[in-house]
Amino acid sequence: MIITDTHTHLYSEAFDEDRHEMIERAIKENISRFFIPAIDSNYTDSMLQLEKDFPENIFLMMGLHPTHVKENFKQELQHVEEMLGKRPFYAVGEIGIDLYWDKSTLGIQQEAFKYQIELAKKYKLPIVIHCREAFDEIFEVLEEVNHDELFGVFHCFTGSLKQAHQAISYNMKLGIGGVATFKNGKIDKFLNEIDLRHIVLETDSPYLAPVPYRGKRNESLYILKVLDKLSEIYGLTIEEIANITTNNSKEVFGI
């Protein structure tokens, strides 16, 4: 059994004291594929070091996170473009729109999102979308740039059934993590109406720890709790869920 965590910030400062031990704990439990989203240029060196330390397990993305789209965003986008031209990455991400923290940057967030989608098309890479309180704005951009070449993952999906179908219509898989275990998470009420071929697993560690670790530091090992929940929702064994979702991740990331 191979379990894939399609979204985990293993370079985060939250893991500075036990990063290798934490990753090895997960690998011992068959969680052996970790896809690493970018935030901004400050984390690039840490991401590259992580890949050196675990070359068989770590798969890097490159992108500018929407909450880090600031006054210097064009400089940051240049860094993304330069890195994509230098070496292989498995996705452009995480990119998107976040209106939870700062609505005033919507215009430049949209610009950065569209620019990075074009980079993904150029390099024939999937996109990994971050969406917080911005479904309408994200869908508006996707509608504008929609193309057969557009595909990827709607990371940390927290929308409605209707929004799930809309995301899937743009060739997106739904990234399902700890929210599926929350009492007020809501997505567990309709997930069984979404074919499992549209689902990938993720933790978003160190954030969004599943029950019973909610509110604590998340880590990739806790994806087992998400697996348990999906096994319950779909009425399939943990092995079946792991196999299907890992195959889905291979379909998206090409590895």
Side-chain angles (χ1 to χ4, degrees):
M1 178 172 70
I2 297 172
I3 302 166
T4 303
D5 186 349
T6 61
H7 200 107
T8 175
H9 299 271
L10 295 177
Y11 52 81
S12 166
E13 295 87 348
F15 301 122
D16 281 354
E17 290 183 13
D18 64 345
R19 181 171 289 104
H20 282 213
E21 296 86 345
M22 182 269 298
I23 293 170
E24 280 155 8
R25 275 199 295 275
I27 291 171
K28 279 179 187 168
E29 296 295 332
N30 301 312
I31 305 151
S32 56
R33 289 158 47 84
F34 308 91
F35 287 85
I36 313 296
I39 291 176
D40 64 20
S41 60
N42 293 314
Y43 291 94
T44 301
D45 288 346
S46 305
M47 291 169 66
L48 295 172
Q49 185 59 51
L50 200 54
E51 183 187 56
K52 279 182 189 168
D53 294 343
F54 294 90
E56 301 296 312
N57 309 99
I58 297 292
F59 306 96
L60 303 181
M61 309 179 201
M62 179 48 55
L64 177 62
H65 192 292
T67 62
H68 288 243
V69 175
K70 311 284 188 189
E71 297 80 10
N72 69 335
F73 79 101
K74 289 192 175 173
Q75 186 182 330
E76 284 288 338
L77 290 175
Q78 189 179 348
H79 172 75
V80 171
E81 191 160 6
E82 283 171 2
M83 289 303 296
L84 288 169
K86 264 186 197 175
R87 47 148 295 154
F89 287 91
Y90 294 94
V92 176
E94 64 188 278
I95 65 176
I97 299 174
D98 188 313
L99 298 180
Y100 178 79
W101 296 106
D102 189 355
K103 292 181 173 64
S104 72
T105 58
L106 174 60
I108 57 174
Q109 285 192 54
Q110 288 168 320
E111 188 179 338
F113 187 28
K114 290 175 191 175
Y115 190 84
Q116 292 179 97
I117 288 171
E118 292 309 313
L119 288 176
K121 287 181 181 176
K122 177 181 175 181
Y123 288 98
K124 298 185 172 12
L125 290 171
I127 59 173
V128 172
I129 297 173
H130 171 107
C131 172
R132 195 166 185 192
E133 296 192 1
F135 276 103
D136 290 344
E137 291 80 3
I138 292 274
F139 288 145
E140 189 179 315
V141 171
L142 294 181
E143 192 59 42
E144 188 181 320
V145 302
N146 196 16
H147 192 281
D148 289 345
E149 292 173 11
L150 186 69
F151 69 109
V153 176
F154 217 106
H155 147 64
C156 189
F157 184 79
T158 56
S160 65
L161 178 60
K162 183 183 176 186
Q163 288 165 331
H165 285 306
Q166 193 167 351
I168 290 164
S169 76
Y170 297 114
N171 294 324
M172 297 293 145
K173 306 286 188 202
L174 307 181
I176 303 299
V179 174
T181 70
F182 297 173
K183 277 184 180 173
N184 61 350
K186 297 177 185 173
I187 59 170
D188 59 312
K189 304 292 188 291
F190 64 78
L191 262 187
N192 64 345
E193 296 181 51
I194 303 289
D195 194 302
L196 202 50
R197 68 194 168 92
H198 300 304
I199 303 290
V200 291
L201 302 183
E202 61 169 62
T203 58
D204 199 21
S205 55
Y207 316 106
L208 292 173
V211 173
Y213 307 107
R214 190 173 182 183
K216 298 179 180 173
R217 183 190 79 169
N218 198 7
E219 59 179 85
S220 286
L221 179 65
Y222 299 164
I223 205 168
L224 296 176
K225 296 298 179 187
V226 182
L227 256 178
D228 285 344
K229 185 66 179 179
L230 264 60
S231 173
E232 176 191 315
I233 288 170
Y234 284 98
L236 296 171
T237 66
I238 285 167
E239 289 77 10
E240 287 170 319
I241 300 280
N243 184 46
I244 293 166
T245 53
T246 286
N247 284 338
N248 293 344
S249 75
K250 289 176 181 178
E251 186 187 320
V252 174
F253 297 110
I255 190 164

